[in-house]
Amino acid sequence: MSYIIWQDIFYIALLIGLSIPLGIYIYKVMTGQKVFLTRVLTPVENGIYKVMGIRNDEQMGAKKYALSVIAFSAICLVFLWALQMLQGILPLNPEGMEGTNWHLAFNTSASFVSNTNWQAYSGESTLSYLTQSLGLTVQNFVSSAAGMAVLFVLIRGFILKKKTTVGNFWVDLTRTTLYILIPLSLTVAVLLTSQGVVQTLSTYKDVATLESGAVQTIPLGPAASQIAIKQLGTNGGGFFGANSAFPLENPTPLSNLIQVLSILLIPAALCVTFGKAVKDSKQGIAIYAAMMILFVVALAATTIFEQFTGPVFNGVAASGSIEGKEIIHGIGASSLWATATTAASNGSVNSMHGSFTPLGGMILMFLIQLGEIVFGGVGSGLYGMLAFVLLTVFIVGLMVGRTPEYLGKKVESYDMKMVCLIVLVPLLLTLLGTAAAVVMPDAASWLTNSGARGFSEILYAFSSMGNNNGSAFAGFNANTVFTNVTGGVIMLLVRFIPMVAAIFLAGNMAQKTMVAVSEGTLSTSNTMFIGLLIGVILIIGALSFLPALALGPIADYLTTR
Amino acid sequence: MEKKVVDKNIFVDALKQSFVKLAPHVQVKNPVMLVVYIGAILTTALYCLSFAGIKDESSGYILAISLILWFTVLFANFAESIAEGRGRAQADTLRKARKDVKARKLKSADNVDRYTEVLSADLKKGDIVYVKAGEQIPMDGEVIDGAASVDESAITGESAPVIRESGGDRSAVTGGTTLVSDWLIIEVTAEAGENFLDKMISMVEGASRKKTPNEIALQILLVTLTIIFLVVAATLLPFSEFASSQAGAGSAISITNVIALLVCLAPTTIGALLSSIGIAGMSRLNQANVLAMSGRAIEAAGDVDVLLLDKTGTITLGNRQASEFLPVSGVTEQELADAAQLSSLADKTAEGRSIVVLAKEKFGIRGRELSRLNATFVEFTAKTRMSGINYQGIEICKGAADAVKAFVLKKGGEYPDECEQIVKRVAGAGGTPLVVAKNNQVLGVVYLKDIVKNGVKKRFEDLRKMGIKTIMITGDNPMTAAAIAAEAGVDDFLAEATPEAKLTLIRDYQAKGHLVAMTGDGTNDAPALAQADVAVAMNTGTQAAKEAGNMVDLDSSPTKLIDIVRIGKQLLMTRGALTTFSVANDVAKYFAIIPVLFFGIYPQLTALNLMGLTSSTSAILSAIIYNALIIIALIPLALKGVKYRELPAGKLLQRNMLIYGLGGIVAPFIAIKLIDMLLTACGIA
């Protein structure tokens, strides 16, 4: 057990250590300051603006910014949809994959455009190399870049005074992709190939196995490049169906560490960026701390549940719950990954969540249900968290005898409407999606397990889609018309309603003046506030999901112990 | 100030109103309680259906749930009615003052004999009326001629009459007040239905009460929470249906229980009390004799962090008092005192009288008959800036240093350097030097001191702890102002204040993000009042000032500003505290309901029944009974407001979090358990 603790401490120290310089770097990129890549990339950036006909000095109001985000994403959605259905007649398809059916194609497009990367398919048996690299990998970049762009807008909303514009979407999108995501992905991809992650355009290989000369087909492909961004961009969609539990996607302990670090790296760094940008590092630290505390508690709980509440077989030494986990990673690294991937809206896996103990699985599910704000998605995690910060400020701020304010901006009814939309939409769609699934007459036939665990499978699936996570409680047959269509719609709504709300929130905030800070102002960076923020997040999450969890993992635990 | 929060009449009236408010069009206005209302109707319908054999629970149980829900709605109505009731009682008193009287409408202001008699209600803006002693002023207006004392007790509750005269800052009169002496010619400035008294009645009655901005924002949050719980409760139907088919045991939960769960979880406590808190805040303001023109102003009062306070009356006692006689060399203190006393005998100003008092205290110098001395008194004028006395060829004068200096030099005397030194010293210490001269000889200086009020320093310190800056506004010169500011412990001061300087000061602070509150009375204060975030116009002030402000202080007390800030903060704190309490309560309610709700499907879930509640029936009943009773229990808190202390934000939050946050989690555990034990004892479980 102690090696697991040391491993986790090492991981967290590394994460914090890397996130600080990266956060400062992102801040510089966001504000257009000079960084070490500026000289190399400026010509490329300007070239892009020129080719695309973008006026990079144009400033957009909230409405135009939101429209740009939506229009861009809509085009991506249609392109990706068409690409999958037509892949059979398109090049770069050595395995001769046929076009996918319309509902799977829709679900996959919605999933990747919304940064969810829910996969109702298995990459190696469904998609061509062209679809993987031109379709999915591109979306991995731009969907996370869009998330970051919207976060930048919200941050600007807090900084700006009496302004009607919040930035330029095309510039934000280009800069985050060019200066942040591409260099980082390149680095990670090279590191991963060094560990043996495949990166090739050649056809699948037939190899003779040790098992009396049986031949096995080993799927290959340009994996490393996609895996790097799948982790960094909190996308999570595996190149192969088994995701990072597959040896060619994640072969060594070091590749495992690099990937699990990449999952939380940018979301954590953005907290530092936030503190820098609002000229008060403590504000960033407070949010970082709240996320970290929730993460550490969840990590400890998952690890403990996996280690100690696994099934006990009489006469066999207790090994913890090892089913569904790779021996190379063991309980510690599997629990760490599982916690990180559900805390962030990543969704990649190196073990099967469906095999976790009831309570261990519940922690993962609950982290998703909190709204993907414990680090969360790139950009979206922090703007979701900021919505909770505003909610906390609103509820407890009144108790100091002033109308609520955050970072000098008054939180008024319009802002509350937007905040409530950001918080409300994922909760509702998760519950409603699950409800819609269970009333389907053949719902039970989609499940591998029955009883409470069966319900957990459905609840997990819709929590995952309803919060743009993308991981699955394996066992649930996701590739049905019903799940593909409702899931696709839910993923899109859950991504874009809060996104647009965040932009409009920023637009409204930017128009306000700053209120002076005094002794009478509620501090939003002290320990008390961090505690209250965590309290509000947990209470909202618990109040919304406790009844459902009682019928799923809790009943599962109580009936099987 | 009334001592009892609620008297019997209000109570009876509120009971009646609780039922009147059951009308759907009233219920629609409060979305959270609307959910309970619909729940009550639905369970009633379910109860009726149960006789037709369509039932998901026993009839008795459905009836019990239904009744408790109806009571929850009634309790919420009662909370609102009782808050409104206090305002209505105030309004009734005011209405008595507003009766139609006959008014003498003049053709023109210069002939009081040519008039027509009209009813006050028929007066139009711009009409000119003539009012004599003993008559009621028919309508709000501006005095254009005459001076009179007016009894304004109908509005202010203050029985001492006040002076109203044309020109200057005391020219506004209010309809419904009574002339005690003399006569006035008044130009009507408001018409029936929109005069001050009407506005006041509708404000205190709550008839024109609009939701305030923060209340609307909070309402949005409460509606969001309600929607969440609506979906949580509704989705439990399919969830439990599915779970029971999977488990092969139990059945889907009943609609009755879904409704009970929803009502328990929805933020009904704050939803029921929200409007009462607002109305009660307004009526606390009214009790302090302040009339807010909008609810927005009272919220802004909580946010104010810069107070502009007039020196006179707020920081110092109204008048300066003589505290020392400082003679020049060659003159004894007694000689100076004697001359100063003589020159002040006929001086009716407070300063003059204080000199006489000091001379008597120090040297036993008694009053002398001026007529016996054959003396003539020289009155103070703004031009000469001196007053004095001439008798038997002797001229004594006292006044501002430069004025007396000019007087002495003109008479061929000398103005000693020593005197100049003393004058400087006195001014530097925050006092007002009054130089006394006899003929052409300077005798010395009388030290007039501004007496800083008792306890203001402590008060300002407390305000500072809360992050509120106090700024003293005075017409004094900067040196004097600085000394008084230091003594009183204000954060800053504005000396030689002009209306323009005040306006600039307010704008400067606002540009830095501060919210500024001020008091004003004169017409020249109007621009500053209009600019300030919380602007309290004195009732004695001009019509222009009253229109520019967003509150009117009926007592015209300069210290009122501090009370207004307190009331504003208390209102916001109460709202926050009860919201927190309401949400925190849900934790215990969950622990009461969830374990028993799915008992049939998964009996093992009873492991979560931490409170050891007897049965599912008693657990659910206990939770919703608690939910209803807590509304009644918190009405006094909603009306009185939470305890207010002048503490920094961090400490306030800690205190309130401990009481309403932690208390909100713990209290229902205990209460629900007790109710459950009671129900069990009665054999209901």
Side-chain angles (χ1 to χ4, degrees):
Chain A
M1 187 69 191
S2 73
Y3 79 92
I4 294 179
I5 297 172
W6 284 114
Q7 178 181 302
D8 289 344
I9 291 175
F10 176 68
Y11 170 75
I12 288 167
L14 210 56
L15 175 64
I16 294 173
L18 289 174
S19 64
I20 294 170
L22 178 61
I24 295 170
Y25 173 81
I26 296 177
Y27 165 68
K28 287 183 177 162
V29 171
M30 169 192 160
T31 48
Q33 295 177 41
K34 214 171 161 184
V35 291
F36 71 101
L37 287 172
T38 304
R39 277 184 56 186
V40 189
L41 292 179
T42 306
V44 184
E45 188 187 344
N46 290 335
I48 292 173
Y49 297 149
K50 208 162 201 178
V51 173
M52 307 295 288
I54 294 164
R55 278 186 24 235
N56 61 335
D57 56 342
E58 187 204 13
Q59 287 292 306
M60 298 176 175
K63 202 170 169 187
K64 185 159 185 195
Y65 201 105
L67 275 176
S68 307
V69 175
I70 297 294
F72 175 74
S73 304
I75 291 166
C76 288
L77 180 79
V78 172
F79 173 76
L80 194 54
W81 195 345
L83 189 66
Q84 289 174 80
M85 289 177 71
L86 300 176
Q87 67 177 356
I89 52 167
L90 291 171
L92 219 62
N93 187 5
E95 295 301 318
M97 302 289 180
E98 286 180 19
T100 60
N101 64 46
W102 67 270
H103 54 88
L104 177 62
F106 165 70
N107 184 279
T108 307
S109 319
S111 166
F112 277 75
V113 169
S114 65
N115 197 256
T116 311
N117 294 31
W118 167 265
Q119 293 167 296
Y121 62 91
S122 209
E124 62 270 36
S125 61
T126 318
L127 300 180
S128 73
Y129 289 171
L130 183 77
T131 311
Q132 290 266 23
S133 45
L134 187 65
L136 304 189
T137 308
V138 168
Q139 280 315 306
N140 280 351
F141 277 98
V142 293
S143 70
S144 50
M148 241 191 294
V150 172
L151 173 69
F152 290 172
V153 168
L154 185 55
I155 294 177
R156 286 188 202 117
F158 288 120
I159 312 170
L160 295 174
K161 280 181 252 179
K162 291 190 169 179
K163 287 275 165 20
T164 50
T165 57
V166 288
N168 181 319
F169 174 64
W170 309 114
V171 172
D172 288 340
L173 186 73
T174 311
R175 291 185 64 86
T176 42
T177 310
L178 211 53
Y179 287 81
I180 302 165
L181 296 174
I182 290 180
L184 269 176
S185 301
L186 196 64
T187 316
V188 171
V190 169
L191 287 173
L192 288 178
T193 46
S194 81
Q195 294 303 302
V197 177
V198 289
Q199 178 73 15
T200 174
L201 290 175
S202 76
T203 53
Y204 296 176
K205 289 272 183 297
D206 288 333
V207 291
T209 65
L210 295 175
E211 200 180 332
S212 60
V215 174
Q216 187 183 355
T217 304
I218 303 294
L220 299 171
S225 56
Q226 191 184 325
I227 292 160
I229 186 63
K230 113 181 169 191
Q231 306 298 23
L232 288 165
T234 59
N235 296 286
F239 192 88
F240 304 106
N243 213 303
S244 287
F246 187 65
L248 291 185
E249 194 154 336
N250 183 16
T252 67
L254 185 59
S255 74
N256 191 67
L257 176 68
I258 295 169
Q259 290 192 32
V260 76
L261 258 180
S262 308
I263 291 178
L264 293 186
L265 186 60
I266 297 180
L270 287 172
C271 295
V272 179
T273 307
F274 176 72
K276 271 269 177 200
V278 300
K279 302 272 182 286
D280 185 357
S281 302
K282 281 191 202 147
Q283 303 293 346
I285 294 171
I287 291 178
Y288 201 149
M291 289 178 171
M292 190 55 95
I293 291 168
L294 284 167
F295 176 72
V296 169
V297 170
L299 173 60
T302 311
T303 311
I304 289 168
F305 290 139
E306 289 313 293
Q307 185 75 20
F308 299 112
T309 66
V312 180
F313 302 99
N314 284 337
V316 181
S319 61
S321 167
I322 200 74
E323 189 211 274
K325 299 186 178 66
E326 294 297 306
I327 294 299
I328 186 179
H329 305 311
I331 287 178
S334 300
S335 301
L336 174 62
W337 184 301
T339 311
T341 198
T342 47
S345 75
N346 189 291
S348 67
V349 293
N350 76 347
S351 58
M352 294 301 119
H353 294 180
S355 295
F356 273 49
T357 58
L359 295 182
M362 180 179 77
I363 301 288
L364 306 182
M365 211 184 292
F366 192 54
L367 273 173
I368 296 174
Q369 290 162 344
L370 289 180
E372 290 303 9
I373 49 166
V374 181
F375 294 110
V378 165
S380 63
L382 189 51
Y383 67 65
M385 183 55 126
L386 285 169
F388 272 93
V389 168
L390 292 177
L391 197 64
T392 309
V393 160
F394 192 86
I395 296 175
V396 304
L398 282 172
M399 280 195 287
V400 305
R402 286 168 70 103
T403 57
E405 61 207 23
Y406 181 60
L407 303 177
K409 298 282 179 115
K410 284 282 173 206
V411 184
E412 291 156 314
S413 56
Y414 183 88
D415 312 306
M416 278 315 283
K417 269 184 213 160
M418 297 302 123
V419 164
C420 285
L421 270 182
I422 298 173
V423 173
L424 186 70
V425 169
L427 289 180
L428 291 194
L429 289 178
T430 301
L431 287 170
L432 292 173
T434 313
V438 297
V439 296
M440 285 291 128
D442 46 357
S445 70
W446 302 334
L447 307 174
T448 311
N449 290 291
S450 62
R453 194 149 192 99
F455 181 70
S456 292
E457 285 176 7
I458 298 182
L459 180 61
Y460 192 104
F462 281 90
S463 299
S464 178
M465 288 186 278
N467 290 279
N468 293 136
N469 181 278
S471 66
F473 227 43
F476 176 68
N477 176 18
N479 192 9
T480 58
V481 181
F482 167 80
T483 309
N484 276 340
V485 174
T486 47
V489 171
I490 286 175
M491 286 187 280
L492 290 175
L493 293 179
V494 143
R495 172 74 168 176
F496 293 104
I497 294 176
M499 215 175 207
V500 170
I503 297 170
F504 279 95
L505 173 64
N508 195 45
M509 284 284 176
Q511 290 174 21
K512 298 183 187 192
T513 53
M514 292 276 195
V515 180
V517 174
S518 74
E519 277 296 309
T521 313
L522 173 80
S523 163
T524 51
S525 59
N526 60 10
T527 326
M528 176 91 182
F529 185 80
I530 296 172
L532 291 172
L533 175 60
I534 293 175
V536 168
I537 292 169
L538 289 180
I539 284 192
I540 298 274
L543 292 182
S544 309
F545 291 103
L546 198 63
L549 290 173
L551 287 174
I554 297 175
D556 189 10
Y557 169 73
L558 292 171
T559 50
T560 57
R561 72 175 168 170
Chain B
M1 284 274 220
E2 46 185 324
K3 277 270 186 305
K4 269 199 299 177
V5 177
V6 170
D7 74 17
K8 205 179 143 218
N9 285 339
I10 297 177
F11 190 83
V12 173
D13 190 42
L15 277 181
K16 240 184 280 165
Q17 285 295 317
S18 311
F19 287 92
V20 175
K21 279 175 190 273
L22 283 178
H25 71 274
V26 182
Q27 292 295 321
V28 170
K29 287 182 194 155
N30 185 341
V32 181
M33 292 317 293
L34 182 66
V35 168
V36 185
Y37 182 70
I38 293 171
I41 293 173
L42 279 177
T43 45
T44 311
L46 283 172
Y47 175 64
C48 298
L49 284 175
S50 73
F51 290 111
I54 309 166
K55 57 178 170 181
D56 54 2
E57 296 280 352
S58 74
S59 309
Y61 177 72
I62 300 174
L63 178 66
I65 299 276
S66 169
L67 281 178
I68 298 167
L69 296 191
W70 281 117
F71 271 108
T72 311
V73 177
L74 286 174
F75 289 168
N77 290 348
F78 180 72
E80 196 178 74
S81 309
I82 210 146
E84 286 171 349
R86 294 202 296 176
R88 205 173 294 127
Q90 265 174 312
D92 285 342
T93 328
L94 289 172
R95 230 180 244 117
K96 279 179 202 142
R98 190 194 59 177
K99 51 184 179 211
D100 274 345
V101 289
K102 288 227 169 86
R104 272 184 226 96
K105 184 177 153 191
L106 300 184
K107 288 253 155 53
S108 70
D110 36 276
N111 189 350
V112 297
D113 294 328
R114 293 187 54 198
Y115 62 82
T116 46
E117 277 204 349
V118 293
L119 271 179
S120 56
D122 297 332
L123 286 171
K124 296 271 169 301
K125 254 187 217 174
D127 284 353
I128 291 164
V129 291
Y130 174 65
V131 188
K132 283 195 291 197
E135 294 175 350
Q136 203 176 57
I137 294 173
M139 196 58 65
D140 290 5
E142 192 88 20
V143 178
I144 48 177
D145 200 5
S149 49
V150 179
D151 175 8
E152 295 192 339
S153 59
I155 299 171
T156 61
E158 180 63 56
S159 54
V162 290
I163 301 292
R164 293 284 177 242
E165 61 195 357
S166 63
D169 290 343
R170 293 186 295 186
S171 59
V173 289
T174 312
T177 56
T178 313
L179 241 64
V180 180
S181 70
D182 306 291
W183 53 269
L184 292 175
I185 293 175
I186 299 163
E187 186 180 330
V188 174
T189 54
E191 285 172 25
E194 55 173 45
N195 64 0
F196 190 68
L197 208 56
D198 290 323
K199 271 192 219 156
M200 197 163 158
I201 290 169
S202 74
M203 285 309 296
V204 297
E205 208 174 23
S208 67
R209 198 182 96 87
K210 286 203 191 87
K211 288 195 177 106
T212 56
N214 175 261
E215 207 175 335
I216 293 169
L218 183 56
Q219 186 89 272
I220 290 168
L221 174 66
L222 298 181
V223 169
T224 303
L225 288 174
T226 310
I227 293 173
I228 291 178
F229 294 129
L230 190 68
V231 173
V232 168
T235 50
L236 276 185
L237 281 173
F239 288 180
S240 59
E241 172 83 55
F242 182 77
S244 81
S245 77
Q246 286 282 308
S251 59
I253 60 172
S254 63
I255 294 179
T256 311
N257 279 346
V258 168
I259 294 170
L261 180 70
L262 170 60
V263 170
C264 265
L265 297 181
T268 47
T269 313
I270 178 69
L273 296 173
L274 187 57
S275 62
S276 322
I277 295 169
I279 299 167
M282 196 60 107
S283 80
R284 275 199 297 279
L285 202 60
N286 292 336
Q287 274 171 26
N289 258 343
V290 175
L291 188 65
M293 295 306 174
S294 72
R296 184 186 281 270
I298 178 169
E299 268 172 16
D303 282 342
V304 157
D305 57 357
V306 173
L307 295 185
L308 302 192
L309 299 170
D310 279 323
K311 182 197 80 175
T312 311
T314 314
I315 296 167
T316 61
L317 292 174
N319 305 299
R320 284 168 290 201
Q321 290 176 1
S323 72
E324 264 177 276
F325 295 110
L326 303 165
V328 293
S329 43
V331 181
T332 66
E333 207 180 329
Q334 187 157 5
E335 276 177 88
L336 173 62
D338 189 67
Q341 189 251 20
L342 207 52
S343 71
S344 305
L345 278 174
D347 188 349
K348 290 287 173 260
T349 64
E351 284 90 347
R353 254 173 303 177
S354 77
I355 293 175
V356 177
V357 170
L358 186 70
K360 189 175 159 193
E361 273 175 8
K362 278 202 150 174
F363 304 105
I365 302 170
R366 300 240 149 223
R368 285 160 277 194
E369 276 295 326
L370 289 179
S371 51
R372 274 230 225 121
L373 291 170
N374 198 12
T376 53
F377 180 65
V378 184
E379 260 194 80
F380 177 87
T381 67
K383 204 172 170 196
T384 60
R385 292 191 294 143
M386 294 191 308
S387 63
I389 191 165
N390 302 332
Y391 69 101
Q392 299 158 6
I394 302 173
E395 277 182 82
I396 300 181
C397 70
K398 65 170 203 295
D402 46 346
V404 177
K405 184 177 178 180
F407 172 82
V408 172
L409 293 180
K410 206 176 95 191
K411 289 249 165 187
E414 261 183 45
Y415 188 76
D417 261 358
E418 195 193 350
C419 184
E420 205 130 340
Q421 297 302 324
I422 300 173
V423 165
K424 267 194 190 148
R425 214 176 62 227
V426 170
T432 310
L434 217 53
V435 180
V436 182
K438 195 173 193 176
N439 293 335
N440 62 0
Q441 191 203 358
V442 175
L443 296 179
V445 176
V446 179
Y447 183 168
L448 290 181
K449 204 174 176 185
D450 253 324
I451 309 293
V452 172
K453 277 185 166 179
N454 249 343
V456 288
K457 192 162 188 173
K458 172 81 179 48
R459 196 97 196 249
F460 295 152
E461 231 162 67
D462 289 341
L463 287 173
R464 194 168 311 121
K465 271 194 232 146
M466 302 192 80
I468 298 173
K469 270 182 136 183
T470 44
I471 295 167
M472 182 180 85
I473 306 291
T474 171
D476 294 341
N477 65 53
M479 223 170 14
T480 312
I484 297 170
E487 195 185 339
V490 293
D491 294 281
D492 203 353
F493 63 88
L494 178 68
E496 288 167 355
T498 57
E500 296 76 42
K502 267 198 223 179
L503 186 62
T504 320
L505 185 75
I506 294 174
R507 286 212 176 116
D508 283 352
Y509 271 107
Q510 284 174 336
K512 285 184 214 144
H514 293 281
L515 270 88
V516 184
M518 72 167 285
T519 318
D521 53 3
T523 302
N524 54 15
D525 276 335
L529 281 170
Q531 181 72 31
D533 300 285
V534 172
V536 183
M538 304 242 188
N539 192 42
T540 53
T542 57
Q543 198 64 33
K546 279 195 211 172
E547 266 159 30
N550 48 19
M551 291 191 193
V552 175
D553 175 16
L554 302 174
D555 295 341
S556 304
S557 147
T559 54
K560 201 48 82 58
L561 214 45
I562 299 173
D563 299 325
I564 292 171
V565 169
R566 177 178 59 77
I567 292 168
K569 283 198 179 293
Q570 205 183 17
L571 168 72
L572 295 171
M573 275 158 64
T574 310
R575 225 177 253 166
L578 288 180
T579 307
T580 307
F581 187 83
S582 189
V583 175
N585 270 201
D586 280 357
V587 176
K589 290 179 196 164
Y590 256 138
F591 274 101
I593 294 183
I594 297 292
V596 299
L597 209 49
F598 308 127
F599 181 80
I601 305 172
Y602 295 115
Q604 294 90 339
L605 280 174
T606 36
L608 294 182
N609 188 357
L610 300 179
M611 294 151 87
L613 304 179
T614 314
S615 70
S616 65
T617 315
S618 74
I620 293 171
L621 284 178
S622 306
I624 63 167
I625 289 174
Y626 169 80
N627 195 55
L629 290 182
I630 195 70
I631 295 174
I632 286 288
L634 289 175
I635 290 177
L637 184 69
L639 297 187
K640 268 192 299 184
V642 301
K643 198 160 190 181
Y644 167 87
R645 278 172 198 208
E646 273 146 357
L647 289 173
K651 290 227 174 88
L652 270 178
L653 182 61
Q654 229 166 13
R655 250 184 77 87
N656 287 331
M657 232 16 242
L658 204 68
I659 301 172
Y660 301 100
L662 206 60
I665 292 178
V666 176
F669 272 103
I670 301 168
I672 291 176
K673 176 72 188 168
L674 286 177
I675 298 170
D676 180 74
M677 285 161 71
L678 202 69
L679 290 178
T680 312
C682 299
I684 292 173

